[in-house]
Amino acid sequence: MKVKDHIANAIKTKKTEFSFEILPPLKGQNIETIFSHIDPLMEFNPPFIDVTYHREEYIYKERPDGLLEKKIVRKRPGTVGICTAIQNKYQVDAVPHVLCGGFTKEDTENFLIDMDFLGIENVMALRGDAVKSETYFKPNKDGNAYAQDLVEQIMDLNQGKYLDEDLLNSAKTSFCVGVAGYPEKHLEAPSIESDLHFLKKKLDAGAEYVVTQMFFDNQKYFDFVARCRKAGITKPIIPGLKPLATKKQLNLIPQRFSVDMPDTLVKEVIKCKTTEAIRQVGIEWSIAQSKELIKAGVPVLHYYSMGKSDNIKKIAATVF
Ligand code: FAD
C-alpha cells in the first residue's frame, strides 16, 4: 500500500499512526541486527517503516611506504535488501530513501527498477549531503542535483518514460514519493522563503507528502505547517521526532542539522549525572511533544530511531 493511502486512512479515522526510520547496520553485521531493533516496535502497528540510504565515504589508509591511499567505502549498505526483508517478514510497507548524491541518473533508474521488481511502492526522494570530506554537495556528473530533479525522474518512470527514449511500450512504475521538509530551514538555504519555494516545487513535481527534519519545539512545526499552507502546499506534513539520548547531541544536533534546542530541555540535560538520566529526559520530552502533536491531529508521528529502539518503545508505549 502507498504511504499516501496510509496517511489518508489515518486522517479519515482521526487516529494518529506510529512510524519510524531505521539505519542499515554497519557493514559486517547481519539482518538479525535490524530485526532485533524492529521486533520490539511491531506491537505499535507501524503502517510503514523508512530505511535510510548512506552514500559512499572517502577514507585514507596508510600504505607500508607511508603514503596515504584514498579508498571509497560504503559503511552502511543494504537499504533495498532491508526493505525487502521488512516487507517479507512483517508485511509492512518499507520506504527506502533514495539519494541524488553518488548516483548517476542511470544508477537511479536501475535502483528504481530493482525496487519496483521487489514490490516496493514507496520511496523517499532526497538530495543527500556532501561527502563527509567535502564542504559542498556536488552532484554526480550525470546525476540529479536536487531532490526536485529526482522526484521528476521518478514521476517520468511512473509514466513509463525511461532514460532511453527508444524504449517502446515500457512498463510504468507507480511509486509514491515522500520528500524532506525543514521547520527550521535547511542549513544551506539562504532564507526560509527560498527553502519553502523549493519544497513546493518538489511537491508540485509529484511528491505526495513531507516528512520533517527533527525538531524539539513543537511551535517550530506548527509555524512551518502554517507557512507551508499559506504558500499553497496542501499535502500532508508528517512530523519527525528524535528523542535526545546523549549530552553530546546538545551540540551535535544544532551543528549538524541546524536545529535549535529549547532552553528548558538544555537545562534538564545539563542537570543529569548519567547517560541513562539523559535518555530519560529525552524520552519524557519526546512523549510531551508527541502528545501535543497528536492533540493537534497529525496523521502520523515518525520517529528517528538511529538504530536504537528501547527509547522509541518507551515513548510509543505511553503515547499509542
Ligand atoms: P533538496 O530538496 O534538494 O534541497 C537542498 C537545498 O537546496 C535546500 O537548501 C533547498 O532550499 C535548496 N534547493 C532545492 N531545490 C533547489 C533548486 N532547484 N535550486 C536551488 N536551490 C534549491 N540523508 C541521507 O544521506 N540519507 C538519508 O536516508 C536521509 N534521510 C533523510 C530523511 C529526512 C526526513 C530528512 C529531513 C533528511 C534526510 N537526509 C538523508 C538528509 C538530507 O539528505 C539532507 O538534509 C540534504 O542536505 C538535503 O536533502 P533534500 O532532499 O532536502 O534536498
Side-chain angles (χ1 to χ4, degrees):
M1 196 164 143
K2 298 198 168 28
V3 169
K4 68 171 179 179
D5 297 324
H6 287 302
I7 296 173
N9 277 348
I11 293 171
K12 201 167 137 203
T13 56
K14 295 196 170 107
K15 185 184 166 291
T16 304
E17 296 279 7
F18 162 79
S19 87
F20 60 97
E21 174 188 290
I22 55 164
L23 275 69
L26 285 167
K27 194 183 270 186
Q29 297 180 26
N30 63 24
I31 192 77
E32 294 305 325
T33 327
I34 281 294
F35 294 154
S36 68
H37 292 312
I38 298 177
D39 284 346
L41 300 176
M42 287 314 290
E43 65 178 280
F44 308 107
N45 299 317
F48 61 92
I49 299 170
D50 277 53
V51 183
T52 54
Y53 191 94
H54 299 259
R55 64 174 301 179
E56 76 281 10
E57 292 175 33
Y58 302 146
I59 57 162
Y60 292 87
K61 283 209 163 173
E62 194 172 344
R63 295 192 326 203
D65 61 8
L67 291 175
L68 291 177
E69 186 183 351
K70 183 174 166 183
K71 285 203 157 200
I72 299 174
V73 293
R74 280 193 60 213
K75 293 186 178 168
R76 292 181 186 271
T79 301
V80 176
I82 292 169
C83 285
T84 314
I86 287 174
Q87 297 208 153
N88 287 339
K89 183 173 158 81
Y90 303 103
Q91 273 78 53
V92 167
D93 290 303
V95 185
H97 292 192
V98 185
L99 305 182
C100 302
F103 282 72
T104 63
K105 286 186 187 171
E106 183 79 26
D107 295 335
T108 304
E109 185 169 281
N110 293 337
F111 188 89
L112 292 166
I113 290 171
D114 271 345
M115 292 197 295
D116 184 46
F117 287 175
L118 287 164
I120 294 167
E121 298 183 86
N122 299 287
V123 289
M124 183 81 187
L126 300 143
R127 189 198 68 178
D129 286 319
V131 174
K132 277 203 180 118
S133 48
E134 293 177 350
T135 319
Y136 302 105
F137 172 82
K138 283 192 211 124
N140 206 300
K141 191 169 149 276
D142 301 309
N144 292 306
Y146 294 103
Q148 180 197 336
D149 307 321
L150 178 54
V151 175
E152 283 167 7
Q153 187 180 1
I154 302 168
M155 289 304 130
D156 278 350
L157 217 61
N158 279 356
Q159 294 303 315
K161 196 173 156 209
Y162 288 67
L163 293 172
D164 178 354
E165 286 170 5
D166 295 336
L167 281 183
L168 295 174
N169 301 319
S170 21
K172 294 178 182 176
T173 56
S174 73
F175 289 111
C176 166
V177 181
V179 288
Y182 302 83
E184 297 174 63
K185 186 178 88 59
H186 181 254
L187 71 174
E188 294 165 28
S191 70
I192 285 181
E193 285 68 28
S194 130
D195 208 23
L196 213 58
H197 169 81
F198 289 119
L199 174 62
K200 186 166 185 305
K201 292 226 169 217
K202 293 192 276 195
L203 294 155
D204 290 346
E208 296 285 355
Y209 67 99
V210 179
V211 179
T212 75
Q213 181 59 279
M214 66 184 81
F215 55 88
F216 295 86
D217 173 357
N218 284 352
Q219 197 53 49
K220 308 260 185 195
Y221 169 81
F222 295 134
D223 292 347
F224 174 64
V225 174
R227 282 197 304 275
C228 286
R229 300 301 178 229
K230 205 169 155 209
I233 294 171
T234 54
K235 303 246 168 96
I237 302 173
I238 297 178
L241 294 179
K242 181 191 149 30
L244 203 80
T246 64
K247 197 175 240 169
K248 261 194 193 156
Q249 289 174 348
L250 273 188
N251 304 105
L252 263 182
I253 290 175
Q255 183 205 25
R256 214 167 144 218
F257 303 107
S258 196
V259 163
D260 274 355
M261 293 283 172
D263 210 33
T264 326
L265 175 61
V266 177
K267 282 185 182 146
E268 285 298 314
V269 172
I270 288 172
K271 267 197 267 169
C272 292
K273 303 255 183 298
T274 62
T275 305
E276 221 164 81
I278 295 172
R279 276 183 96 73
Q280 191 53 34
V281 167
I283 290 167
E284 281 162 23
W285 191 270
S286 198
I287 289 173
Q289 278 194 279
S290 305
K291 285 186 172 167
E292 191 182 23
L293 289 162
I294 291 175
K295 214 167 151 204
V298 300
V300 180
L301 277 175
H302 191 68
Y303 294 90
Y304 296 111
S305 81
M306 314 298 251
K308 298 245 168 71
S309 53
D310 62 310
N311 49 0
I312 308 290
K313 186 176 163 84
K314 284 184 184 152
I315 296 161
T318 311
V319 170
F320 290 93

